[in-house]
Amino acid sequence: MMTGAEILVECLKKENVDVIFGYPGGVLLGIYDTLFDTDIRHILPRHEQGGIHAADGYARATGKVGVCMATSGPGATNLVTGITNAYLDSVPLVVFTGQVPTSLIGGDAFQEADIIGITRPIVKHSYLIKDIKELAPSIKEAFHIARTGRPGPVVIDLPKDVVAAKTKFKYPEKVELLGYNPNYEGHPMQIKKLLKALESAKKPVVYMGGGVRISGATKELVEFVEKINLPVISSFMGLGGFPGDHPNFIGWLGMHGNYASNMAMTETDFIIAIGTRFSDRSTGRLDGFAPNAKIAHIDIDPASISKNVVIDIPIVGDCKVVLDQMSKYLGDYNWDRRAKERESWLKQIKAWDSEHPFSYKRSNRVIKPQFVVEKIYEVTKGDAIICTEVGQNQMWAGQFYKFKDHRQFISSGGLGTMGFGFPAAIGAKIGRPEKEVFDIAGDGSFLMNVQEICTAVQYRVGVKVAILNNKFLGMIRQWQSLFYNNRYSYSCLECQPDFLKLAESYGCPAFRAEKPEDVEPILREAMKIKDLPVLMDFVVDREENVFPMVPAGAALNEMILGD
């Protein structure tokens, strides 16, 4: 006979869980007492939100399921932002929450919160365990649901009496869930329709999203693209799914994407969309999006098909599997027929890129934030895992770092969560200790989970934090400048801590650069420190803007290009 706490730990071992990001509380003490004697590594963040973002970063960097735990009431509700963040970005998490005893549920007991009800719209599935016999089967199902199909978070709520109860431990060998059978293979007839339409297209593009990265379909996509010589445009969340230095890679589209991608998407006559949800930040005004294009859409989530954009050729399936299927039919079509037109189309797109590449006015006097990102790219040789906060720092990271690997770029795309990047970087570094991991941060975002410096120091996590410090909520200020007559209403962060002293108070090495010539030496010095976090405070041009910019409500080709 085993207690619920012991069963939980055995289940985690069966699922090969090697690290948990968790915060203890009264109803979880039985679990924590059991964890004390296991080999499973436990990371104690300084806030539950930091813990779940770390589990999220760990999952994205490793491809494993991230595991997070928090106690009942406020501990559980502090996870809600992180659960939503993972849900929108399709990140596999299993989240354990403590609950009051079953006899007290519904009675407004101390630290009772209906976390199942609160999170129902933002999880892939959830369980409230009322009988210890349900525990092991539910955990088995939770990991299966989190990692299969379109990945996502699953919550398991654990009442205190269930954790203490006893029963025999039996872990199911397989999962059978009525009505849950993700479709991995695309329908052959639909695939042939896509290839027939592509054969006739004069100006085709491949538009790839985060689904390509999640399914690990880079190799298959590169082979497909090279055989037909197609231009590849990424969504922001797709960055890294196709090599950023490949000659067929055009860039990323949307609000702060590059000119060539936005123009190509406006002029194309056929789109092969792979693993993307056509978010509003990517499409711009919908009635101006790809007005002359037929659209084929490959996605494992049938609910994503025609959700935001009407699709002509839907294909439900896993990106990697469907691309592999497509390659088997390529010999049945005449790709020479439109080869010259496709080549001419690719030259046109490259010409657009030459006219308006990502660029900025360089300065010898003040540090430009784009310059910092360029230098990070240089000193890391383009091989680091880059996490970002949210705002201008996030966009500059996407513009000036060329991502080559599908697990190299970690950013909050769907929810746009300030405070995400630093704890996510901690999780990524714990999962991939052999890699350099940077958090490219804004001062406003970084301050939202700054307490996690303590976590990184305690566990000697050698993550690098590069703050692009402009003493503003930079993206808010940019919008106020462009659309609200420079009325900077409550976006100034003039009062902020001395980041060097703050870091040093935690035992974290820290540097500051105020001149362009100091940037690279500080980055190289930071790279020498391997077993502690390093904070770098780059004092950048306060009123630098991110361009190009597609204003809200505008079409993709209605960009503001800047100076």
Side-chain angles (χ1 to χ4, degrees):
M1 302 286 277
M2 295 172 66
T3 66
E6 292 166 339
I7 289 172
L8 168 62
V9 171
E10 286 304 309
C11 292
L12 295 178
K13 291 178 181 175
K14 294 285 187 185
E15 294 296 334
N16 297 315
V17 172
D18 53 8
V19 61
I20 299 173
F21 301 87
Y23 207 102
V27 301
L28 292 182
L29 286 180
I31 295 173
Y32 272 83
D33 189 60
T34 306
L35 278 173
F36 195 67
D37 296 322
T38 74
D39 294 331
I40 297 175
R41 189 180 185 193
H42 182 277
I43 303 295
L44 177 68
R46 293 305 181 267
H47 191 287
E48 290 90 349
Q49 187 181 353
I52 192 165
H53 289 330
D56 184 317
Y58 173 90
R60 297 195 207 206
T62 64
K64 302 177 184 176
V65 177
V67 179
C68 181
M69 187 181 300
T71 193
S72 60
T77 56
N78 281 340
L79 300 176
V80 171
T81 298
I83 294 171
T84 316
N85 190 77
Y87 182 72
L88 287 176
D89 286 352
S90 305
V91 179
L93 295 183
V94 172
V95 180
F96 294 97
T97 52
Q99 185 56 274
V100 301
T102 52
S103 60
L104 298 182
I105 291 176
D108 294 337
F110 175 67
Q111 291 196 333
E112 181 190 2
D114 178 11
I115 196 64
I116 297 297
I118 291 169
T119 59
R120 185 164 286 123
I122 53 168
V123 295
K124 196 172 173 188
H125 199 61
S126 58
Y127 299 86
L128 169 59
I129 310 296
K130 292 186 175 179
D131 187 324
I132 190 172
K133 293 177 182 175
E134 302 169 1
L135 182 57
S138 298
I139 294 174
K140 178 74 176 181
E141 290 177 6
F143 276 88
H144 176 71
I145 292 170
R147 66 164 67 99
T148 55
R150 180 177 180 174
V154 178
V155 168
I156 301 180
D157 202 22
L158 301 167
K160 185 175 182 179
D161 54 322
V162 171
V163 171
K166 290 187 175 182
T167 191
K168 288 183 179 177
F169 174 60
K170 182 180 179 183
Y171 204 57
E173 293 185 3
K174 60 181 181 179
V175 173
E176 292 183 4
L177 289 169
L178 192 63
Y180 180 73
N181 294 297
N183 191 50
Y184 287 86
E185 289 193 1
H187 194 290
M189 291 304 294
Q190 292 298 94
I191 290 173
K192 290 177 182 177
K193 277 187 186 177
L194 182 155
L195 294 173
K196 187 67 180 174
L198 177 60
E199 184 187 44
S200 302
K202 298 177 182 177
K203 299 179 178 180
V205 299
V206 171
Y207 170 39
M208 51 156 284
V212 171
R213 296 196 300 121
I214 292 168
S215 70
T218 300
K219 174 175 169 289
E220 288 76 10
L221 181 57
V222 170
E223 289 176 357
F224 173 71
V225 164
E226 289 181 343
K227 282 177 183 172
I228 309 176
N229 196 24
L230 297 171
V232 178
I233 295 170
S234 176
S235 71
F236 182 73
M237 293 304 289
L239 289 173
F242 192 87
D245 54 357
H246 192 285
N248 286 66
F249 184 69
I250 307 305
W252 52 286
L253 85 167
M255 185 170 282
H256 294 292
N258 63 324
Y259 178 82
S261 293
N262 286 338
M263 290 302 296
M265 197 58 87
T266 304
E267 296 291 327
T268 181
D269 63 356
F270 184 58
I271 299 170
I272 305 173
I274 309 175
T276 180
R277 61 191 176 91
F278 292 94
S279 82
D280 55 314
R281 293 267 289 204
S282 293
T283 63
R285 194 180 72 239
L286 275 178
D287 61 9
F289 177 73
N292 306 312
K294 195 170 191 176
I295 305 176
H297 187 189
I298 302 164
D299 203 291
I300 199 164
D301 181 6
S304 287
I305 306 285
S306 291
K307 181 166 66 178
N308 297 322
V309 172
V310 177
I311 300 303
D312 300 291
I313 306 173
I315 300 176
V316 177
D318 177 76
C319 301
K320 184 184 177 89
V321 174
V322 174
L323 280 164
D324 190 49
Q325 287 180 275
M326 286 165 62
S327 69
K328 293 174 182 171
Y329 293 115
L330 286 182
D332 297 342
Y333 298 86
N334 181 6
W335 301 112
D336 293 334
R337 181 180 160 207
R338 300 282 191 197
K340 288 186 178 178
E341 287 155 303
R342 288 198 304 276
E343 189 174 340
S344 175
W345 168 235
L346 196 53
K347 284 181 180 176
Q348 170 63 71
I349 297 173
K350 292 287 184 182
W352 280 328
D353 199 37
S354 296
E355 290 171 23
H356 298 290
F358 285 136
S359 63
Y360 62 96
K361 284 188 177 178
R362 296 174 186 274
S363 172
N364 294 322
R365 182 180 54 84
V366 62
I367 298 174
K368 294 288 185 174
Q370 303 94 327
F371 176 73
V372 178
V373 178
E374 285 180 334
K375 286 298 175 187
I376 293 173
Y377 180 75
E378 284 180 26
V379 301
T380 60
K381 299 181 173 61
D383 192 45
I385 292 175
I386 301 296
C387 303
T388 77
E389 302 293 342
V390 167
Q392 289 182 312
N393 63 86
Q394 184 183 29
M395 297 300 115
W396 284 318
Q399 290 183 344
F400 292 93
Y401 202 101
K402 293 179 182 177
F403 300 96
K404 303 166 190 168
D405 183 86
H406 69 295
R407 300 205 178 280
Q408 197 181 2
F409 183 51
I410 296 175
S411 189
S412 173
L415 192 61
T417 308
M418 292 178 70
F420 168 78
F422 180 43
I426 293 172
K429 183 67 177 176
I430 288 172
R432 303 281 302 278
E434 79 284 3
K435 301 285 287 186
E436 286 289 354
V437 179
F438 271 74
D439 172 33
I440 296 180
D443 43 312
S445 268
F446 181 69
L447 282 171
M448 285 201 169
N449 271 314
V450 67
Q451 76 284 346
E452 300 306 334
I453 297 176
C454 206
T455 308
V457 170
Q458 177 172 334
Y459 296 100
R460 306 190 78 81
V461 182
V463 64
K464 313 293 188 296
V465 180
I467 301 175
L468 308 178
N469 189 349
N470 55 16
K471 292 190 176 181
F472 269 119
L473 297 174
M475 191 61 86
I476 300 296
R477 185 210 54 75
Q478 176 170 334
W479 280 58
Q480 289 172 334
S481 173
L482 295 175
F483 309 117
Y484 294 90
N485 299 318
N486 294 315
R487 287 159 53 84
Y488 297 162
S489 178
Y490 306 108
S491 56
C492 179
L493 299 176
E494 191 66 43
C495 178
Q496 61 178 206
D498 182 324
F499 284 107
L500 269 62
K501 291 180 179 176
L502 179 70
E504 287 164 1
S505 73
Y506 284 112
C508 169
F511 304 92
R512 176 174 292 131
E514 299 184 81
K515 297 178 291 186
E517 60 265 34
D518 294 336
V519 172
E520 184 171 341
I522 282 177
L523 284 168
R524 294 198 179 280
E525 196 63 30
M527 295 274 284
K528 295 176 184 174
I529 301 171
K530 301 298 183 185
D531 61 349
L532 279 173
V534 183
L535 185 148
M536 292 161 281
D537 183 20
F538 296 103
V539 180
V540 301
D541 189 340
R542 294 198 69 196
E543 301 202 20
E544 184 71 11
N545 287 336
V546 182
F547 291 117
M549 178 179 187
V550 178
L556 288 179
N557 62 344
E558 297 170 343
M559 290 164 276
I560 301 173
L561 295 174
D563 297 332

